[in-house]
Amino acid sequence: MIYTFKKDYHEKISIGKLVCLARTYKKHAHEMNANITKNPLLFLKPASSVIFNGESIIIPKMSNCLNHEVELGVIIGKKCKNISQKKALDYVLGYLLALDITARDIQSEAKKNGWPWSVAKGFDTFAPISEVVLKENVSNPDNLDLSLKINGKVRQSSNTKNMIYSVERIIKFISEVMTLERGDLILTGTPKGVGEIVKGDIIEAKLGDICSLKVNVGR
C-alpha cells in the first residue's frame, strides 16, 4: 500500500509497520479503568489493516463489538535508531489522521486472560488513514485539535497537547526499542470518548484544519 498526500508529492512511499500506543491521554486511561505508565505502551498493527478516505470498515464475523479511536499519525521519513528527543522531529516526513479500530469484545477477553491484543487490533480495514500532510505544513504536532463524529454527533474531541507523552518523546522511546524505517507509521493514542460503531455508521474525523477522514461501517 502507498500513502496519498494532500499536496503534490511525487515520491511513492510504501506503508511500513504501524506502531501504536495505548493510554496516552489521562482521561482515556481513566475511562478504560487502566493505569498510566512511565513509558509508552506499544503494540503493532499490520499494514494490511490500512484503508483510505471513502472506504469501509468491515465488521469481522468473530466480533460483535467494534470501537472507534481517533488518533494523530506520525510518518517516519528516514531510518532512525536510538535518537535523541531533541532531534526526533528531524526524522518525521509528515502527519495524518488515523482511526485505530478495536474489536473490544476480543480485546476484553485477551486482557482478562493475559493474551496479546493482535487479533483485536489487526483485522483488515482496522486502520483507516487520511491523506498525509508534510511536516513543513504543521507548525506544532503537540498542539493539534482532534475530533470524531458518528452520524454527525461528536463522540471524541481533544487536543494533542493533552497527551501524556509528546510526539518527540514517543519517537525517541520507540527508536530505543526498534529501528524505525521510512514509511513506518506511529499511531499516538486516542483521547476519551471511545465507543461502539455499527453497520451503516458514517465516521467523520478532523485533525485541526489540516486534514480530515471520512469512512463508513460496512457488513
Side-chain angles (χ1 to χ4, degrees):
M1 287 188 175
I2 304 295
Y3 288 107
T4 59
F5 289 80
K6 191 168 183 180
K7 293 186 177 180
D8 289 342
Y9 187 82
H10 301 294
E11 184 178 354
K12 292 184 177 180
I13 299 177
S14 297
I15 299 170
K17 58 182 175 288
L18 276 60
V19 186
C20 309
L21 280 77
R23 307 177 196 172
T24 56
Y25 292 78
K26 288 183 180 179
K27 291 183 179 180
H28 172 59
H30 293 159
E31 75 177 344
M32 301 303 290
N33 297 312
N35 294 325
I36 295 168
T37 57
K38 178 181 177 181
N39 290 316
L41 294 176
L42 308 180
F43 61 94
L44 301 175
K45 290 172 81 90
S48 56
S49 64
V50 170
I51 59 172
F52 302 95
N53 258 309
E55 296 189 325
S56 299
I57 298 163
I58 304 301
I59 302 172
K61 292 181 179 179
M62 64 179 72
S63 175
N64 295 307
C65 182
L66 300 193
N67 276 196
H68 59 78
E69 300 183 14
V70 65
E71 313 195 1
L72 166 68
V74 181
I75 302 168
I76 298 300
K78 54 184 177 180
K79 184 175 180 178
C80 58
K81 175 67 177 175
N82 291 323
I83 60 173
S84 69
Q85 188 165 321
K86 184 177 180 180
K87 293 185 177 181
L89 295 186
D90 293 344
Y91 295 86
V92 171
L93 174 66
Y95 303 95
L96 53 72
L97 184 61
L99 304 181
D100 172 18
I101 303 302
T102 304
R104 193 68 73 194
D105 49 352
I106 295 175
Q107 187 191 44
S108 295
E109 182 181 11
K111 286 182 175 180
K112 182 174 66 176
N113 289 283
W115 299 338
W117 298 358
S118 297
V119 174
K121 296 284 191 176
F123 287 100
D124 290 352
T125 76
F126 270 29
I129 63 172
S130 72
E131 295 174 316
V132 179
V133 179
L134 293 174
K135 177 178 66 176
E136 293 75 18
N137 297 317
V138 179
S139 59
N140 182 6
D142 293 309
N143 187 15
L144 291 169
D145 290 329
L146 196 62
S147 65
L148 178 141
K149 294 180 180 180
I150 305 292
N151 304 323
K153 183 177 180 180
V154 176
R155 292 278 191 90
Q156 293 182 269
S157 181
S158 189
N159 188 289
T160 56
K161 67 184 179 183
N162 296 319
M163 289 198 297
I164 298 167
Y165 321 102
S166 67
V167 171
E168 296 90 336
R169 167 87 170 90
I170 289 168
I171 297 171
K172 174 184 182 294
F173 179 76
I174 296 172
S175 79
E176 292 170 347
V177 176
M178 65 188 79
T179 299
L180 288 167
E181 307 275 358
R182 183 171 175 82
D184 285 350
L185 174 58
I186 299 171
L187 301 189
T188 59
T190 195
K192 73 171 184 175
V194 302
E196 189 170 1
I197 52 176
V198 297
K199 182 180 177 180
D201 280 348
I202 303 298
I203 305 173
E204 297 173 279
K206 291 187 68 177
L207 182 62
D209 59 358
I210 64 172
C211 62
S212 61
L213 176 64
K214 183 176 181 180
V215 293
N216 62 79
V217 183
R219 68 174 188 273

